[in-house]
Amino acid sequence: MAVAARVRHSVNQSVPNATHFPLALNIIDFDTDNITATANRLTIITAGIYCVIGQVRFAANGVGTRQILIRRNGINYLAIASEDGQKAPGQTTTIIASTLFQLVAGDYLELFVFQDSGAGLDVLTSEPYPGKYYTPVLAAALF
C-alpha cells in the first residue's frame, strides 16, 4: 500500500492581518502510515521523497497579498506560493503550493497562511463534490 495522508479543516478560519498564521486541520481524510500524530500536522514515519501539497481559498478581498506556506519541523518553509488580492477583486483567491522533498522519520509538516488586507480575512472551507478538492488541505505522499 502507498504511503499517503491528507488532512483538512471543516469550518472557516479567520487569519489575522500581516501574520504568518498556522491553520487548524481537524479532519483526517486518509492516513496509510500513521503519519498524522495530530490533525494539525503530518508527522513522517517512513523516510523518503514526498510530494507535499497545500491548498487554501481566501475570502474575497481586493487588497494586499495572500500566501500559503508549508513548514517543516517548525523552522523551514519547503514551499511558498503567493497571489495578489487585486488580481480578481470581489472573487475568492485559491492558492496551491507543492514541492518534492526528502523527509526523514520524525519530520513534521504544517500549513501556514499570510495575508495583508488590512484586517482579518477568512480562509474558507469548501463543500466537496466529485472532482473538487477540500480546502484548506495539507497532503503528503511517498514517491
Side-chain angles (χ1 to χ4, degrees):
M1 177 177 270
V3 172
R6 181 174 69 190
V7 291
R8 61 184 168 93
H9 200 67
S10 59
V11 298
N12 296 350
Q13 298 177 68
S14 181
V15 177
N17 183 58
T19 302
H20 286 106
F21 184 77
L23 289 179
L25 300 165
N26 65 348
I27 295 173
I28 301 168
D29 286 324
F30 56 84
D31 182 355
T32 65
D33 197 36
N34 294 315
I35 290 174
T36 50
T38 70
N40 287 338
R41 63 170 67 169
L42 298 178
T43 302
I44 301 302
I45 303 298
T46 303
I49 297 173
Y50 282 79
C51 177
V52 182
I53 301 169
Q55 178 176 329
V56 297
R57 184 171 58 105
F58 283 94
N61 182 304
V63 178
T65 301
R66 316 287 177 265
Q67 286 185 331
I68 179 174
L69 309 96
I70 299 172
R71 189 168 81 168
R72 179 178 64 109
N73 297 337
I75 302 169
N76 306 63
Y77 290 107
L78 301 183
I80 300 172
S82 298
E83 287 287 336
D84 184 348
Q86 296 176 359
K87 261 176 74 172
Q91 296 182 12
T92 61
T93 303
T94 299
I95 307 172
I96 300 170
S98 63
T99 189
L100 290 176
F101 201 84
Q102 187 160 1
L103 299 170
V104 299
D107 280 349
Y108 66 91
L109 306 171
E110 300 168 288
L111 189 62
F112 277 71
V113 290
F114 175 88
Q115 63 85 20
D116 59 358
S117 67
L121 186 65
D122 280 353
V123 164
L124 306 173
T125 189
S126 296
E127 289 299 319
Y129 60 86
K132 180 173 174 117
Y133 291 101
Y134 300 98
T135 61
V137 65
L138 176 62
L142 182 63
F143 239 90

